[in-house]
Amino acid sequence: MSFPNNFLWGGATAANQTEGAYTIDGRGLSNLDYMPYGESRFQVGTGNLDPKSLPEDTFFPSRVAIDHYHHYKEDIALMAQMGFKVYRLSLSWSRIYPKGNESKPNQLGLDYYLNVFKECRKYNIEPLVTINHFDIPMYLVDEYGGWKNRQTIDFYLKFTETVFTHYKDYVKYWLTFNEINMVLHFPFVATGLTFKPEDNREQITTDVIHHQLVASSKATQLAKKINPDFQIGCMLAAGSYYAQTPRPEDVWKSIQDSRESYMFSDVQVRGSYPNYYLKQIEQQNLTLPIKDGDIAVLRDHTVDFISFSYYSSRVSSAQPDAANQTESNIFASEINPYLETSEWGWQIDPLGFRITINEIYDRYNKPMFVVENGLGAVDNLTETDEIHDDYRIEYHKEHIKAMSDAITLDGVELIGYTSWACIDSISNGTGEMAKRYGFIYVDRDNFGKGTFRRIPKKSFYWYQEVIKNNGENLNEK
Ligand code: BG6
């Protein structure tokens, strides 16, 4: 048997990409409610364009998304039908603290998630909660400068204390921040950060990174106080970097690129900034905004497990060539001629998944949780309302096999696997609905039209079998 008996099979979503209901029951606006669909999305997402300057008829897909807010019972029932053991979801911060700085939470927002967790428990589904999946109340961004401002650590801690206390009997697994390294690549999306032309971007980004890392450690500390059984994880946008050639310069570049991501988990898992990062900061004339007590907090409150997303490996070159690059979850990669790509240019590399899992395990020797992995593709509904997504089945099959090899042949410790996204939702990168990842189809298009009807795809029934057989006999299906 490759997968442990208690292996947590399931799927993942994020509040901003599914819930919608952006002003319902007292919810406040978040940065992601301002992420437009269309050409300006990348500019806004990277913090280079103020979304409030966009034309009035701009469409903001997250505001309605797939209306999971009103469909959660139906959606969780479908997940239960697939046999999910775990459902990874995130909390919308501005649903619980609409502005972010209130002294009391919004009761209706708290009730909503309580109901969601009760619904999960009804089917014996373990909720895996991402406390912060990119969103921040827009009020905190506008009035306080968001994560640039150290005070945001306290706002975040207030939010975490509220949810830890409120949901302690329902939730055991928590992730402090989704893809914490994404601030380097998609700063407005990841943290609400915007830049003015005169800004020292590197210094601002360094401040934000430190504030989030301290917030993550303090949240871990708080979690253990509230319930020592809580399991707290970090979450990294992962994917190993291959050197483009054996030239030492390319190999060195691949090490530098890897370190750019691993710096975050190095702090969260090992408890201190790695020397390579401290030296880099020094060489760039930047300063870490360390205050009294920060070093001890980072050291003393490290995470219990490491979670990560994996879509693709990447290729590093000392002489990157823009004409030879491909999309790869926001941060581009040199093209790897040995790999096929998705319709969105993401390179498909199941062995790279095994390589990444091993790389992380070799580095930290801690339990790991794969919390995102999947294929964004165009799905076509047949006249009889079916979706024959064999390409998605193939993708997951090969990646699950890679995971199985990593467990049986390499001996890594994996807690679970939540596919992204188990139900079609808004694409984070492009804002499209047409980039579908789900085992469940949702009738909604790129422009906000559709009935929200849910339809299980062929992959739904395939994944149901995978879970039933605990990941064995993949080739027989
Ligand atoms: C991860 C994010 O970066 O990749 C998700 O955590 C996102 O929010 C996923 O949806 C897939 O990316 P995209 O751009 O295809 O939605």
Side-chain angles (χ1 to χ4, degrees):
M1 300 289 282
S2 9
F3 293 94
N5 278 337
N6 55 357
F7 190 75
L8 292 170
W9 294 100
T13 62
N16 74 85
Q17 292 165 267
T18 54
E19 281 178 14
Y22 78 116
T23 54
I24 303 289
D25 292 341
R27 183 183 180 278
L29 291 174
S30 84
N31 56 332
L32 301 171
D33 297 320
Y34 286 97
M35 278 300 289
Y37 171 65
E39 276 172 15
S40 51
R41 188 171 177 91
F42 195 72
Q43 285 281 89
V44 174
T46 47
N48 293 310
L49 178 65
D50 178 0
K52 291 185 178 160
S53 69
L54 293 171
E56 257 182 33
D57 60 351
T58 304
F59 175 51
F60 299 99
S62 283
R63 296 185 179 192
V64 178
I66 58 159
D67 199 28
H68 184 56
Y69 191 78
H70 295 110
H71 289 73
Y72 74 89
K73 287 193 178 172
E74 178 187 353
D75 294 343
I76 294 171
L78 286 166
M79 293 172 198
Q81 202 186 325
M82 271 187 277
F84 275 25
K85 315 269 187 239
V86 61
Y87 172 35
R88 174 181 175 226
L89 67 147
S90 79
L91 307 173
S92 159
W93 187 347
S94 59
R95 201 176 284 295
I96 294 179
Y97 282 99
K99 285 155 87 179
N101 68 344
E102 295 91 340
S103 54
K104 293 226 158 51
N106 170 28
Q107 191 56 44
L108 292 176
L110 277 179
D111 292 348
Y112 168 68
Y113 292 109
L114 185 65
N115 291 335
V116 169
F117 299 141
K118 284 185 176 164
E119 201 64 17
C120 289
R121 291 289 174 198
K122 183 168 124 190
Y123 298 105
N124 283 325
I125 296 176
E126 180 82 47
L128 163 60
V129 174
T130 317
I131 299 167
N132 190 242
H133 194 120
F134 294 157
D135 62 308
I136 174 168
M138 202 57 194
Y139 184 84
L140 291 187
V141 173
D142 291 338
E143 299 300 317
Y144 293 84
W147 284 104
K148 282 186 237 182
N149 185 340
R150 193 175 166 103
Q151 234 185 313
T152 298
I153 299 177
D154 297 328
F155 297 133
Y156 172 83
L157 289 174
K158 174 129 198 164
F159 167 48
T160 51
E161 184 171 19
T162 303
V163 300
F164 286 153
T165 313
H166 221 77
Y167 306 131
K168 64 176 184 319
D169 298 331
Y170 295 88
V171 181
K172 173 178 174 191
Y173 294 98
W174 304 86
L175 309 179
T176 53
F177 290 95
N178 180 62
E179 297 190 333
I180 192 164
N181 51 325
M182 198 52 93
V183 61
L184 299 172
H185 313 284
F186 220 25
F188 178 74
V189 163
T191 64
L193 200 54
T194 50
F195 298 105
K196 295 194 214 72
E198 66 275 18
D199 280 345
N200 179 343
R201 288 175 174 241
E202 282 73 23
Q203 185 56 57
I204 290 175
T205 308
T206 306
D207 294 346
V208 168
I209 290 172
H210 183 68
H211 293 156
Q212 290 206 327
L213 287 170
V214 169
S216 176
S217 293
K218 288 193 169 184
T220 308
Q221 176 180 27
L222 200 59
K224 299 288 176 176
K225 240 190 244 164
I226 294 172
N227 184 349
D229 292 337
F230 279 168
Q231 290 293 295
I232 310 296
C234 57
M235 199 302 199
L236 203 64
S240 295
Y241 284 92
Y242 305 153
Q244 192 175 38
T245 72
R247 283 172 61 223
E249 289 80 2
D250 284 344
V251 175
W252 179 235
K253 184 66 172 51
S254 71
I255 291 174
Q256 288 178 310
D257 286 342
S258 305
R259 284 176 165 180
E260 194 177 75
S261 297
Y262 284 136
M263 190 286 289
F264 294 82
S265 42
D266 282 353
V267 177
Q268 291 176 295
V269 181
R270 293 172 170 160
S272 60
Y273 282 105
N275 284 349
Y276 62 80
Y277 183 68
L278 296 174
K279 284 289 171 196
Q280 180 193 316
I281 292 276
E282 194 181 298
Q283 285 153 36
Q284 293 178 327
N285 285 323
L286 302 171
T287 36
L288 276 166
I290 294 176
K291 296 271 185 269
D292 278 357
D294 286 2
I295 300 288
V297 163
L298 295 178
R299 183 195 60 218
D300 296 340
H301 307 289
T302 53
V303 292
D304 300 305
F305 67 95
I306 297 141
S307 82
F308 60 94
S309 60
Y310 174 85
Y311 293 92
S312 183
S313 54
R314 295 189 175 86
V315 174
S316 299
S317 164
Q319 292 161 325
D321 171 6
N324 186 45
Q325 289 181 346
T326 181
E327 244 292 339
S328 195
N329 196 7
I330 312 293
F331 34 131
S333 160
E334 301 300 299
I335 288 172
N336 185 335
Y338 302 101
L339 300 177
E340 292 187 356
T341 61
S342 77
E343 288 159 286
W344 273 265
W346 295 23
Q347 304 184 99
I348 300 175
D349 185 8
L351 181 55
F353 190 27
R354 179 173 170 191
I355 293 169
T356 301
I357 293 171
N358 273 279
E359 196 174 279
I360 297 176
Y361 195 64
D362 286 353
R363 196 173 183 108
Y364 302 122
N365 256 274
K366 283 241 175 194
M368 296 179 294
F369 206 139
V370 178
V371 295
E372 284 185 36
N373 172 241
L375 177 72
V378 171
D379 289 330
N380 295 308
L381 200 59
T382 66
E383 280 178 8
T384 49
D385 269 0
E386 286 161 21
I387 296 108
H388 300 290
D389 55 342
D390 296 275
Y391 36 89
R392 184 167 295 108
I393 293 175
E394 190 57 27
Y395 180 97
H396 281 289
K397 189 202 282 176
E398 293 307 316
H399 284 78
I400 291 172
K401 276 201 227 158
M403 217 169 31
S404 157
D405 287 346
I407 295 172
T408 37
L409 305 177
D410 310 323
V412 306
E413 287 171 82
L414 278 181
I415 305 171
Y417 175 81
T418 57
S419 69
W420 184 268
C422 48
I423 181 164
D424 291 348
S425 56
I426 305 294
S427 158
N428 174 55
T430 69
E432 290 163 294
M433 254 321 283
K435 190 180 187 190
R436 296 173 180 276
Y437 284 88
F439 299 129
I440 303 164
Y441 183 90
V442 178
D443 176 29
R444 188 86 177 149
D445 70 13
N446 286 347
F447 311 98
K449 299 254 162 9
T451 61
F452 295 119
R453 193 157 63 102
R454 274 59 172 157
I455 304 166
K457 304 179 191 177
K458 184 173 176 186
S459 56
F460 178 102
Y461 301 102
W462 174 81
Y463 196 47
Q464 189 179 51
E465 282 297 303
V466 171
I467 298 178
K468 197 166 101 195
N469 296 317
N470 202 27
E472 302 298 324
N473 315 321
L474 286 167
N475 282 328
E476 289 167 22
K477 286 168 215 109

